[in-house]
Amino acid sequence: MNKDHRVHNSAPSSSSGWRQRLPLIIIVIVAVTGAILLRDHLSFDALRENRAALLGFRDANYALTAAAFVAVYIAIVAFSLPGATAATLTGGFLFGVFPGVAFNLIAATIGAVLIFLAVRAGFGRAMTARIDASDGRMKRLITAIRENEAPVLFSLRLMPVLPFFVMNVIPALIGVRLSVFAATTFFGIMPGGLVYTWVGSGLGEVFARDESPDLGIIFEPYILGPLLALAALSVIPVVVKAMRKKEFGT
């Protein structure tokens, strides 16, 4: 009887685990399918070819265009589809620097939060428990990040040394708080998002000259320099805290 009782209780647990992983499984399936089927449809060339139709639809249905754009951008980020840069340029092209940058930042942040929640529900809590129960260098590294969540994540968003998708997944696996993740994502991608939205707002002239936008502009010294300085400033609290711990031996 006790054995049957244990078997009876194990089934819902297994079923619950699959339900928790279902959103992440869907994301993976859509991401792989989208990478194969949508690569040529979510690109700068596609924007160039359909620019007249997009502008005409925007002029006739501004609110609907804005809502549809935000929804598509959220889907691109949440499902890790190709075309995030083209989407950011499109936001500037259709809506100008403002409100285009607001649409881009809101959509990118919501999409990032959705994949963060999917990963955390599917694997994050179990991974966090394993990390907490482990010993060694990895646990010390994760603990250091947790103690300085906001400045570390903000700095990594400012200077994207890791792919955007990876930066959505890792925080979920190590137990970063949702509020910190959302805030550092929104404000961390703001400078880069503003630059690319600004580039997108000038696409009309670029199309007229039959040229391609200069996406490498973010690496120009007058833009990269302030971003590096801001990233350095954001980690000063981490350095100060580490120095104090070393000084006082705590």
Side-chain angles (χ1 to χ4, degrees):
M1 182 174 180
N2 292 335
K3 182 178 180 181
D4 292 341
H5 181 70
R6 288 195 300 270
V7 172
H8 178 73
N9 285 339
S10 66
S13 176
S14 176
S15 175
S16 176
W18 277 107
R19 286 199 299 269
Q20 290 176 341
R21 291 180 174 86
L22 183 59
L24 187 57
I25 293 171
I26 293 174
I27 286 175
V28 172
I29 293 173
V30 175
V32 172
T33 304
I36 297 172
L37 300 180
L38 299 178
R39 183 174 300 276
D40 295 333
H41 299 282
L42 298 174
S43 64
F44 173 74
D45 290 335
L47 175 60
R48 182 200 300 271
E49 295 170 2
N50 296 282
R51 63 187 185 276
L54 289 171
L55 290 175
F57 188 82
R58 178 208 62 187
D59 293 341
N61 309 274
Y62 189 90
L64 178 59
T65 303
F69 170 78
V70 170
V72 170
Y73 200 143
I74 290 173
I76 289 174
V77 175
F79 293 107
S80 301
L81 299 173
T85 300
T88 306
L89 295 175
T90 302
F93 176 66
L94 290 177
F95 308 107
V97 177
F98 191 84
V101 68
F103 294 155
N104 285 337
L105 293 176
I106 291 170
T109 302
I110 293 175
V113 165
L114 290 176
I115 193 169
F116 171 89
L117 291 174
V119 172
R120 189 172 72 173
F123 297 101
R125 298 189 189 282
M127 183 67 69
T128 301
R130 290 182 182 180
I131 291 172
D132 291 338
S134 66
D135 294 315
R137 184 176 300 176
M138 179 59 67
K139 182 178 180 179
R140 291 195 295 271
L141 175 61
I142 299 303
T143 300
I145 294 176
R146 287 175 180 169
E147 291 176 351
N148 305 279
E149 284 180 346
V152 170
L153 293 179
F154 180 67
S155 179
L156 288 173
R157 286 298 194 187
L158 279 172
M159 296 305 302
V161 294
L162 295 174
F164 193 76
F165 169 78
V166 174
M167 280 301 302
N168 296 334
V169 171
I170 291 179
L173 294 177
I174 65 175
V176 170
R177 290 169 293 168
L178 175 59
S179 59
V180 173
F181 175 81
T184 54
T185 297
F186 182 84
F187 292 105
I189 66 175
M190 186 178 290
L194 178 60
V195 170
Y196 283 123
T197 305
W198 170 50
V199 172
S201 68
L203 281 182
E205 297 180 4
V206 173
F207 289 144
R209 297 193 300 267
D210 197 27
E211 297 176 352
S212 297
D214 181 15
L215 300 182
I217 190 173
I218 200 168
F219 297 107
E220 293 293 332
Y222 65 93
I223 291 178
L224 184 60
L227 288 179
L228 288 172
L230 190 57
L233 285 173
S234 69
V235 296
I236 285 179
V238 180
V239 176
V240 172
K241 184 185 293 187
M243 291 176 65
R244 285 179 176 175
K245 280 189 175 182
K246 185 176 181 181
E247 180 180 355
F248 295 104
T250 57

